[in-house]
Amino acid sequence: MLSRKKHPALSFLSPGVACRPFLTLMACLILLSGRSADAQETFVQPTAKLITTFSFSLFTGGVIILKAKLGDFPDSLNFILDTGSGGISLDSMTCLRLKLTPQPSDRTILGIAGVRQVKFLYNETLHLPGLSVDSLNFHVNDYDILTSVYGEKVDGIIGYSFLTRYIVQINYDSLKINVYSKGSFRYPKGGYLLRPVIASLPILNAQVSDAQKIPSRFYFDTGAGLCTLLSSDFVSDSALLDSRKKSYYTQAQGLGGKATMKLTTVREVRIGPFRFRKVPTYIFDDQYNVTSYPNLGGLIGNDILRRFNVILNYSNRMIYLTPNTHYREQFDYSYTGLGIYWVDGEIRVGDVMKESPAEKAGLKEDDVVLAVGNNFSNNIQSYKNLLQNTGDRVKIIIKRNGELQQLYMRVKSIK
């Protein structure tokens, strides 16, 4: 289990309340001196109003998926809510299916596995439950890799273009999102207020500790289904890791495709007063400088952020975190070296890392996975969950060259 430090509830005073005794004292001094006081006026933001509430679901790693409609099309589409996106986007195959014609542009997007030039759909409207958002410019990208990873069609990503217009409250306990108009907002008790830098992506201060305690800045990324991702340059230059610590090669997926990374743990990650111990961490060679080293050390993903109920107030550059019922859940320390993907209605083996439990079990690329344990659901999320039980000897039924085989794999722990 995770070791956590208990933190008392924090309370916050508005500037007006905090200054009231000082202003009263100043008024008394002015009256006693016989001087006249000039009238002072302060403009106050209107109170933020609740616009709508709607449900969301979670993919592996705590990634948020929500339903929305585009323009006049009647079918609901699946969008990932992603603070790691500097705009809003639509899948190229979804555009093709809806017979939309994106316009060429000279703009590019950057992902962990490459750089891509993108086309745009201009001045579109997104319809969320109870809210229509107009005048949106969608860039178009290929999200086939995300669909294959999650086993459910990913039609697009909602990021900065939406989040900058509203105050967005994400409740991971109720799986509900509240959307408010901009304005003065009363934050609940028991949380902590972050003051990130927000250009298009929020950047927060945090501390990572292992052999060294290293304060740095990190992207706040709800679209990343992991705990932390650090650039190898940051890890090397800071001498962060204990040299005796073992790491394991694995594959991760994101914009641009796949990238080989190392998986290990760090002793502690600290965000404000919140401390997480023995945190699973990916380390990768950031050849496209996605993490903007040396300005940033990497990113903090949603397998940490889902442990809070989150309020995103981009216009005031505020992110408010309140620990929720998932706060003390154990992290996923499993390691199989196995990558499985949803391909044409089947779950197939895509990656088998050398000397991994998957290779030792005899699994091979392009095997069709029919069952994990006694689960024949053909649901990739269920299979991945069953492969997270460290120490278990898991039965995997596959089809290879038309023949059924029963293999056994021991799930390793990186802890």
Side-chain angles (χ1 to χ4, degrees), residues 47-287:
T47 303
K49 302 293 185 182
L50 178 64
I51 300 172
T52 186
T53 300
F54 50 85
S55 300
F56 64 89
S57 56
L58 294 178
F59 282 159
T60 305
V63 173
I64 296 170
I65 190 81
L66 51 85
K67 301 283 187 179
K69 296 180 180 180
L70 181 69
D72 297 328
F73 296 99
D75 296 337
S76 292
L77 304 176
N78 293 326
F79 288 87
I80 292 174
L81 185 66
D82 186 4
T83 59
S85 167
I88 190 166
S89 60
L90 204 64
D91 175 55
S92 55
M93 291 304 296
T94 301
C95 286
L96 189 63
R97 177 166 59 87
L98 299 179
K99 298 180 180 179
L100 296 168
T101 306
Q103 302 301 310
S105 80
D106 58 358
R107 298 183 63 181
T108 58
I109 59 170
L110 188 62
I112 64 169
V115 180
R116 290 185 179 180
Q117 190 168 356
V118 292
K119 297 180 178 181
F120 272 83
L121 291 169
Y122 294 103
N123 201 29
E124 295 286 346
T125 299
L126 186 72
H127 302 286
L128 293 158
L131 173 63
S132 293
V133 188
D134 59 18
S135 305
L136 292 170
N137 297 328
F138 288 77
H139 68 263
V140 177
N141 195 19
D142 181 0
Y143 293 137
D144 183 62
I145 185 67
L146 298 181
T147 295
S148 66
V149 166
Y150 294 120
E152 190 169 341
K153 176 62 178 171
V154 174
D155 294 295
I157 292 176
I158 298 174
Y160 180 82
S161 298
F162 168 75
L163 295 171
T164 192
R165 298 191 186 193
Y166 305 97
I167 298 173
V168 179
Q169 184 177 34
I170 305 170
N171 190 315
Y172 290 93
D173 291 323
S174 64
L175 298 181
K176 299 282 187 182
I177 290 177
N178 293 327
V179 181
Y180 295 84
S181 61
K182 293 180 181 179
S184 62
F185 191 86
R186 184 172 181 177
Y187 295 92
K189 293 181 179 180
Y192 183 78
L193 184 65
L194 300 172
R195 292 280 191 169
V197 174
I198 302 177
S200 58
L201 307 182
I203 297 170
L204 55 85
N205 293 315
Q207 179 177 280
V208 182
S209 303
D210 200 69
Q212 309 283 342
K213 292 183 179 180
I214 309 296
S216 189
R217 301 192 301 170
F218 302 87
Y219 286 127
F220 180 102
D221 193 350
T222 61
L226 44 75
C227 293
T228 56
L229 174 66
L230 306 178
S231 75
S232 57
D233 288 336
F234 168 74
V235 171
S236 176
D237 289 353
S238 65
L240 171 67
L241 293 181
D242 185 333
S243 60
R244 298 166 296 178
K245 181 164 293 184
K246 190 169 183 179
S247 59
Y248 303 87
Y249 282 100
T250 187
Q251 287 273 10
Q253 303 81 26
L255 296 184
K258 300 178 185 178
T260 300
M261 302 186 182
K262 291 181 179 180
L263 177 61
T264 186
T265 62
V266 293
R267 181 166 53 85
E268 182 182 272
V269 173
R270 180 174 178 174
I271 305 171
F274 306 113
R275 299 172 184 262
F276 296 95
R277 302 189 187 281
K278 209 75 174 176
V279 179
T281 298
Y282 288 86
I283 301 169
F284 80 120
D285 181 10
D286 189 3
Q287 58 180 312

